[in-house]
Every structure is written in C-alpha cells, then in structure tokens.
C-alpha cells in the first residue's frame, strides 16, 4: 500500500512539473511576441513621424474663409477647396513668393463644377418577341450610391420596335430652324404614319422640375433591319440611359504645381501643361460663333461611389404613358362596349 502511494505521488509530481513547464514556455513566448509587436509599432510610428510632411507648409486662404470648427480645433476641413469662394490677387501671390524661406507658392483658383453626361447603352434585342408586329419595352433604371444605402429611381426609358420600315430624315438634309421631323413608319401597304414626335415647342405650361420622372423619361423608336438612323447607321433595339457626373474644376499655375506636388510626373496619358498655355478658338461648320478650347487634366480613376441598376419589362399600353398618343400612331377604333 505504501509503495502504491509513493508511485502515485511520483506520477502526479511529474505531471505537475510538466504542466508548469508548459505554462512557463507559453508565458515566455507571449512576452516575446508582445515585446516584438510593441517594438515594431514604436519603430513604425517613429519612422512616420520623422518622414511625414504635408503637401504644403502654409495654406493661404481668403479672408473669413476659416470655419468656426476649424478655429476651435485648429484644423483645416477636409475638402475645403471644394467649397471655397473668393481668393487672393496675383499681386498678393507674388508677395508670398517673395517672402524669405518660401520655395514654392502654388495658387489654386476654384472654377466650379462642370457636369459631364455619360451614356449607358442597354441592348434589348434578347427581350423582343419575334412573333409580334409592334411592341413596346420599358427599362426602369435605379441609381445606387452611398455603398448601396441610397437608391434613386429615375424616369423610365421606352423602346418601340416595329417590323415595318422606319424612314427618318438624315442629318445632312435637316434645315436650320426647321425643327426635327419625326420618323415615319411605312406599313406593308405603303401607308406612312409619323411616330415618336419630338416636342415642337416648350412653353411655361410644359415646364417640369428637374427631378420629375416625366422630365427624365425617353422614347426610342426602331424599325426592321433595313432602317437607319439620322447618321445613316443601322438601327439597334437599344435605349440609352444618361448618367450625369459632376467634376470640380480648378485652375493652377503649371510650374508651381509641378514643383509643389509633382503633378507633371502623375500624367498617365496625354501631356502636361506648358508654361505659356493659352486657349484656342474653333468654329464648327454652320456655327455663327466660335468657341474656345482649353487643355485640362482629369483623374483617370475618379472615386465615384455609384452604380446603375435597371429592370426590363414589356410596357402595358395606356397604363404607363405608352399609348398611341405617346407614339404618335392613331388610336384603334373603339367598338360598342369597349
């Protein structure tokens, strides 16, 4: 009995010692890892602090341009250039250049926003019913932004497709001031019907709010394979959605901006500005007045959080504004009880 007790005691002692050894190794390893992590963090912070420098050392803005939160926190608001109005004069810029210790003085003049429209073509050829002589399809677009949190429905785009031929007046035959004549649908018996009429005039009673979906709706008419559009190209069963993107325009001094931010080294295609950049005058055929062109640099990867989603469906005539009056075709005769 005594031998059994001593044997159990020796076994339990060995287990306890082994467990203590494992705990000691784990603690030592954790301590080493923690120390390495702290050292790495200190080294990284120290390296960043030693080498960090903003794009500019001094920011000169117009009088009263500083917002109260900026004064309270002694910070410059992110994107403050986008909302800045006014500025300094050229003489004041020269004075800043002449200050002792100033190596580069780069002026920025905010021009404002320029709206650019991006066309998005939606092909509906696979949605057509080949057994139907005439059909209308509807595309309902929705613009999604803010990481999917904001969804903005847009006006529907309609597509009228007929197996008959459509005759349109080409651009080369249009007369100045004569308006845009609607296309004509030619039936198998030769009868011509004007469809998809353009608005002849717009008066105050026709004005709509820019966000009104009726003002953002469109109608496209397409004929059979032999039909061509006003540019002489074959018609396609497709609608075009338009997406308007705002671009913030700013004017800079090319040499100063290159010296301050290295903008001339960031050009991926095209060329950088020259020191004596000037606008050039151009005139299109038939234009009464010339227009000016200026070179610009634009980001090749705009940071836009936006997406376009759309639903396709066959339109129900009369319910969503696609009746004969909208297409320009005469309404069918109404019989008794219809």
């Amino acid at each position: 009995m005594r031998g059994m007790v001593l044997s159990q005691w020796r076994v339990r002692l060995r287990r306890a010692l082994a467990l203590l050894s494992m705990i000691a190794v784990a603690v030592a390893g954790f301590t080493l890892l923690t120390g390495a992590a702290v050292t790495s963090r200190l080294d990284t912070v120290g390296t960043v602090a030693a080498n960090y420098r903003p794009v500019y050392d001094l920011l000169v803005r117009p009088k009263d341009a500083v917002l109260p939160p900026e004064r309270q926190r002694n910070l410059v608001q992110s994107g403050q250039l986008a909302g800045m109005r006014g500025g300094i004069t050229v003489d004041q810029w020269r004075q800043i250049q002449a200050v002792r210790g100033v190596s580069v003085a780069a002026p920025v003049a905010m021009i404002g926003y320029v709206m650019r429209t991006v066309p998005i073509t939606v092909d509906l050829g696979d949605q057509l019913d080949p057994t139907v002589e005439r059909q209308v399809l509807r595309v309902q677009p929705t613009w999604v932004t803010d990481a999917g949190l904001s969804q903005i429905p847009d006006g529907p785009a309609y597509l009228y497709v007929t197996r008959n031929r459509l005759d349109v007046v080409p651009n080369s035959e249009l007369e100045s001031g004569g308006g845009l004549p609607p296309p004509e649908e030619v039936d198998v018996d030769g009868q011509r019907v004007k469809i998809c009429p353009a608005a002849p005039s717009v008066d105050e009673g026709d004005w709509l709010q820019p966000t009104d979906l009726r003002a953002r709706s469109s109608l496209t008419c397409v004929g059979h394979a032999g039909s061509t559009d006003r540019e002489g190209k074959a018609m396609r069963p497709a609608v075009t959605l338009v997406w308007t993107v705002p671009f913030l325009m700013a004017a800079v001094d090319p040499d100063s901006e290159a010296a301050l931010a290295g903008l001339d080294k960031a050009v991926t295609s095209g060329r950088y500005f020259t020191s004596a950049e000037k606008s050039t005058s151009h005139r299109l055929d038939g234009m009464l007045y010339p227009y000016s062109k200026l070179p610009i640099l634009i980001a090749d990867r705009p940071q836009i959080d936006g997406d376009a989603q759309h639903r396709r469906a066959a339109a129900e005539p009369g319910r969503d504004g696609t009746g004969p009056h909208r297409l320009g075709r005469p309404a069918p005769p109404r019989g008794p009880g219809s």
Side-chain angles (χ1 to χ4, degrees):
M1 185 69 180
R2 183 178 181 182
M4 183 181 298
V5 173
L6 291 175
S7 176
Q8 290 291 331
W9 182 81
R10 292 192 189 96
V11 171
R12 292 182 180 179
L13 179 61
R14 292 193 188 99
R15 290 179 179 176
L17 292 175
L19 180 60
L20 290 174
S21 299
M22 293 174 64
I23 294 175
V25 171
V27 171
F30 179 76
T31 303
L32 290 175
L33 290 175
T34 304
V38 172
T39 302
S40 176
R41 182 176 62 82
L42 292 176
D43 289 344
T44 302
V45 173
T47 302
V48 171
N51 294 277
Y52 173 75
R53 185 179 181 182
V55 178
Y56 50 81
D57 295 320
L58 294 175
L59 176 64
V60 180
R61 292 193 288 177
K63 184 180 180 181
D64 300 329
V66 182
L67 300 176
E70 294 178 319
R71 295 184 185 277
Q72 297 171 2
R73 302 180 182 180
N74 197 26
L75 296 173
V76 177
Q77 182 186 15
S78 176
Q80 50 83 29
L81 284 178
M84 189 173 67
R85 296 293 181 270
I88 63 176
T89 64
V90 175
D91 291 338
Q92 290 173 327
W93 171 42
R94 300 297 184 191
Q95 292 177 7
I96 296 173
Q97 283 182 316
V99 173
R100 176 193 246 172
V102 174
S103 57
V104 178
V108 178
M110 304 312 299
I111 299 175
Y113 285 94
V114 176
M115 310 301 289
R116 299 293 297 174
T117 299
V118 180
I120 302 176
T121 302
V122 181
D123 196 310
L124 299 174
D126 58 344
Q127 304 289 321
L128 298 178
D129 185 353
T131 64
V132 179
E133 182 179 2
R134 299 183 183 94
Q135 54 192 304
V136 178
L137 300 181
R138 180 185 60 201
V139 175
Q140 179 61 60
T142 300
W143 305 102
V144 182
T145 185
D146 296 333
L149 299 178
S150 298
Q151 299 187 8
I152 307 172
D154 206 345
Y158 296 99
L159 175 68
Y160 171 71
V161 182
T162 175
R163 289 193 294 183
N164 296 321
R165 188 182 81 246
L166 288 187
D167 288 345
V168 299
V169 178
N171 291 333
S172 59
E173 299 180 10
L174 293 177
E175 298 180 359
S176 177
L180 195 65
E184 292 183 341
E185 180 177 348
V186 184
D187 295 338
V188 291
D189 56 0
Q191 181 183 3
R192 292 178 173 269
V193 178
K194 296 182 182 297
I195 62 171
C196 299
S201 62
V202 178
D203 53 28
E204 187 173 352
D206 299 320
W207 290 353
L208 296 173
Q209 294 294 329
T211 56
D212 193 318
L213 298 186
R214 293 175 297 170
R216 300 185 58 82
S217 179
S218 64
L219 173 62
T220 303
C221 294
V222 176
H224 73 48
S227 304
T228 58
D229 59 17
R230 300 190 188 277
E231 297 180 357
K233 300 178 181 179
M235 291 184 174
R236 295 173 49 200
V239 297
T240 301
L241 308 178
V242 291
W243 187 14
T244 303
V245 182
F247 287 88
L248 180 62
M249 300 291 292
V252 300
D253 176 67
D255 296 337
S256 300
E257 201 67 25
L260 179 68
L263 185 60
D264 56 333
K265 301 297 191 300
V267 178
T268 57
S269 63
R271 65 172 180 85
Y272 188 62
F273 303 120
T274 63
S275 301
E277 206 78 66
K278 293 182 179 180
S279 62
T280 56
S281 180
H282 299 264
R283 187 194 301 269
L284 295 176
D285 294 339
M287 284 188 62
L288 298 178
Y289 305 100
Y291 65 94
S292 298
K293 292 178 64 176
L294 278 171
I296 64 172
L297 288 178
I298 189 171
D300 59 354
R301 295 180 182 178
Q303 302 297 320
I304 298 178
D305 173 22
D307 191 15
Q309 300 178 357
H310 61 269
R311 292 182 289 106
R312 313 175 187 183
E316 298 183 27
R319 175 171 296 185
D320 45 15
T322 58
H325 66 283
R326 173 76 183 268
L327 296 172
R329 294 189 57 83
R334 298 175 62 88
S338 60

